[in-house]
């Protein structure tokens, strides 16, 4: 009677464990209601989603059997199961060795081949060969060029084909290839529209690229996916996929409601700011994007291309002293008094703005904080 009761208790315990294992995958559904990465609207993002699923599936071919067998062996050879065969002299099995080494090796080879193919197919610098599965890019289709600048803390988009620019709003026609040229004005950042494609870094003084396409009309979220300062979490924008003549109407609205983005207007826009509303520019200064990439949008600064040309010829020698001021770039915000609220004394040689500039002392007098009013150290862009 006692043995039957013990067997029933063990059986009930085993059923509870199995029920828990069956319900465990369901907890993954609680991670979020809108898994946009798993349900993208652009062909590049779809291929990246498929790559994630294929890689995960290949790895699960090993992970799942190992977990199951571990639990099975632990149950089968538990201390209370005296009926289980125990052979302490057994130390080798050729069959098991073949399985143990061959299965992981085949999966590693498959993952390597998948990585090699996808690395070249999904190269962000590579122009698109198709709009969606079974639909190649037509020979006469011209990609939409969008020049992207990551500012502190907002996004600036240039449309050179239409000579318009926007802040914190991006739009593109459905099923037309898009060529993004991406840079940053200050610190390193990352441009990311999950429904469109993977994230691409934006770096000052450099230009990265991304080729993508949106296949479904709608409004999608864009964001900065690399920490870049106090306004990082609010550095977001809307991306509109527009069908029919919707994109042409959007361009017409930008031209109608926008103002001119001159170089002076850009330098004002570049100042660190947060929660910047959507802004339209009906025209922009010629060559402004290339000057931003060259780190010479500020009048009088030397462009990276000019500096590299001088270096390629062996440098300017003693005369290079005259170029020092023209190369100073990273301290431009400090010179204008634009440090972020969290700027600290080691970086700026000034007291943090988040603190009071004056402090009281026991004698009742006020004194300047250490470093207050001192100029920032010279920093050059080379």
């Amino acid at each position: 009677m006692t043995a039957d009761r013990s067997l029933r208790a063990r059986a009930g315990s085993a059923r509870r464990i199995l029920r828990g294992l069956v319900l465990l995958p369901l907890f993954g559904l609680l991670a979020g209601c809108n898994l946009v990465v798993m349900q993208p609207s652009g062909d590049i993002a779809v291929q990246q989603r498929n790559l994630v699923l294929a890689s995960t599936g290949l790895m699960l071919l090993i992970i799942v059997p190992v977990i199951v067998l571990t639990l099975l062996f632990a149950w089968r050879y538990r201390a209370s199961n005296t009926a289980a065969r125990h052979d302490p002299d057994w130390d080798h099995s050729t069959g098991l060795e073949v399985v143990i080494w061959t299965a992981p090796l085949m999966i590693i080879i498959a993952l390597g081949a998948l990585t090699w193919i996808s690395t070249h197919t999904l190269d962000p610098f590579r122009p698109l060969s198709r709009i969606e599965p079974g639909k190649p890019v037509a020979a006469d289709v011209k990609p939409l060029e969008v020049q992207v600048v990551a500012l502190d803390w907002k996004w600036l988009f240039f449309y050179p084909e239409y000579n318009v620019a926007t802040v914190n709003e991006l739009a593109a026609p459905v099923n037309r290839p898009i060529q993004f040229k991406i840079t940053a004005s200050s610190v390193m950042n990352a441009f990311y529209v999950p429904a469109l494609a993977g994230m691409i870094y934006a770096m000052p003084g450099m230009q990265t690229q991304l080729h993508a396409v949106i296949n479904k009309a709608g409004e999608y979220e864009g964001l900065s996916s690399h920490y870049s300062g106090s306004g990082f979490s609010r550095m977001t924008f809307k991306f509109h996929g527009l069908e029919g003549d919707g994109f042409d109407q959007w361009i017409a609205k930008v031209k109608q409601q926008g103002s001119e983005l001159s170089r002076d207007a850009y330098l004002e826009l570049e100042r660190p700011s947060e929660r910047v509303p959507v802004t339209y520019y009906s025209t922009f200064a010629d060559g402004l994007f290339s000057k931003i990439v060259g780190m010479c949008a500020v009048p009088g600064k030397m462009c990276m291309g000019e500096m590299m040309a001088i270096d390629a010829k062996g440098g300017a020698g003693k005369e290079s002293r005259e170029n020092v001021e023209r190369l100073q770039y990273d301290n431009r915000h400090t010179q204008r008094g634009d440090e972020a609220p969290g700027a600290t004394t080691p970086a700026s040689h000034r007291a943090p703005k988040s603190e009071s500039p004056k402090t009281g002392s026991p004698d009742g007098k006020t004194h300047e904080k250490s470093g207050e009013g001192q100029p920032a150290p010279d920093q050059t862009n080379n």
Side-chain angles (χ1 to χ4, degrees):
M1 190 71 176
T2 303
D4 291 342
R5 197 177 295 121
S6 177
L7 287 174
R8 286 197 295 270
R10 289 173 183 171
S13 177
R15 283 195 296 270
R16 285 194 295 273
I17 292 173
L18 289 174
R19 279 200 299 268
L21 292 175
V22 170
L23 294 174
L24 189 60
L26 298 180
F27 285 99
L29 300 176
L30 301 177
C33 299
N34 184 17
L35 299 176
V36 63
V37 175
M38 293 292 103
Q39 297 177 336
S41 300
D43 185 61
I44 294 297
V46 168
Q47 294 182 65
Q48 292 172 337
R49 186 270 316 272
N50 294 341
L51 176 62
V52 171
L53 293 176
S55 302
T56 303
L58 284 171
M59 290 183 285
L60 287 176
L61 290 178
I62 286 294
I63 295 172
V64 171
V66 168
I67 292 175
V68 171
L69 289 174
T70 299
L71 296 173
L72 179 62
F73 291 165
W75 175 257
R76 177 73 176 84
Y77 297 103
R78 66 194 185 278
S80 60
N81 186 11
T82 56
R85 179 184 174 187
H86 177 61
D87 187 358
D89 298 325
W90 179 86
D91 60 3
H92 180 75
S93 169
T94 302
L96 278 178
E97 290 285 350
V98 170
V99 172
I100 290 172
W101 289 105
T102 301
L105 180 62
M106 296 302 294
I107 290 175
I108 290 172
I109 292 173
L111 284 172
L114 192 65
T115 302
W116 173 268
I117 295 170
S118 61
T119 298
H120 290 81
T121 303
L122 299 176
D123 182 355
F125 278 73
R126 180 176 181 173
L128 300 185
S129 59
R130 73 180 200 185
I131 299 299
E132 53 189 354
K135 188 177 180 181
V137 176
D140 58 343
V141 171
K142 180 183 177 182
L144 173 67
E145 181 179 334
V146 180
Q147 299 167 342
V148 182
V149 183
L151 302 173
D152 294 331
W153 286 272
K154 57 267 180 185
W155 292 96
L156 174 62
F157 303 105
F158 293 101
Y159 290 80
E161 182 180 341
Y162 302 93
N163 196 34
V164 299
T166 61
V167 172
N168 287 342
E169 185 172 279
L170 177 64
V174 169
N175 290 334
R176 179 180 175 183
I178 313 169
Q179 181 185 14
F180 293 101
K181 296 181 178 180
I182 306 168
T183 190
S185 71
S186 181
V187 299
M188 189 167 115
N189 219 302
F191 172 77
Y192 188 27
V193 182
L196 182 70
M199 73 172 191
I200 299 294
Y201 282 112
M203 293 167 280
M206 301 180 66
Q207 176 187 291
T208 52
Q209 293 189 39
L210 170 65
H211 288 80
V213 63
I214 192 71
N215 300 118
K216 299 177 183 177
E219 181 180 280
Y220 306 99
E221 296 293 330
L223 65 148
S224 165
S225 56
H226 189 283
Y227 182 74
S228 58
S230 62
F232 157 75
S233 60
R234 289 171 290 279
M235 194 174 171
T236 59
F237 62 92
K238 296 294 184 182
F239 172 56
H240 302 279
L242 303 172
E243 286 184 309
D245 60 352
F247 181 71
D248 293 331
Q249 293 175 5
W250 182 81
I251 291 291
K253 181 178 72 171
V254 173
K255 286 183 175 291
Q256 181 182 8
Q257 300 180 8
S259 57
E260 180 185 0
L261 183 61
S262 61
R263 186 186 288 196
D264 290 338
Y266 166 75
L267 293 177
E268 187 64 28
L269 176 67
E270 189 201 25
R271 290 174 179 266
S273 56
E274 302 179 23
R275 301 183 185 275
V276 177
V278 173
T279 309
Y280 297 145
Y281 296 98
S282 57
T283 183
F284 56 85
D286 291 339
L288 183 55
F289 179 74
S290 62
K291 291 185 182 301
I292 296 171
V293 175
M295 303 174 75
C296 55
V298 177
K301 298 298 181 185
M302 180 182 287
C303 294
M304 294 286 289
E306 183 181 353
M307 182 183 68
M308 289 187 288
I310 293 174
D311 290 343
K313 294 177 181 178
K318 294 180 179 179
E319 291 76 15
S320 62
R321 298 177 189 170
E322 301 175 3
N323 294 330
V324 171
E325 247 184 79
R326 299 179 62 201
L327 290 172
Q328 292 176 357
Y329 180 81
D330 292 339
N331 60 347
R332 67 197 188 285
H333 291 316
T334 303
Q335 291 174 341
R336 296 188 300 184
D338 290 339
E339 296 106 322
T344 57
T345 301
S348 66
H349 282 202
R350 300 180 185 222
K353 284 189 172 184
S354 56
E355 298 180 9
S356 172
K358 305 285 186 178
T359 57
S361 62
D363 58 7
K365 298 180 180 180
T366 58
H367 303 274
E368 288 189 355
K369 286 192 173 183
S370 174
E372 180 69 23
Q374 296 180 12
D378 290 339
Q379 299 179 39
T380 60
N381 61 1
N382 61 342

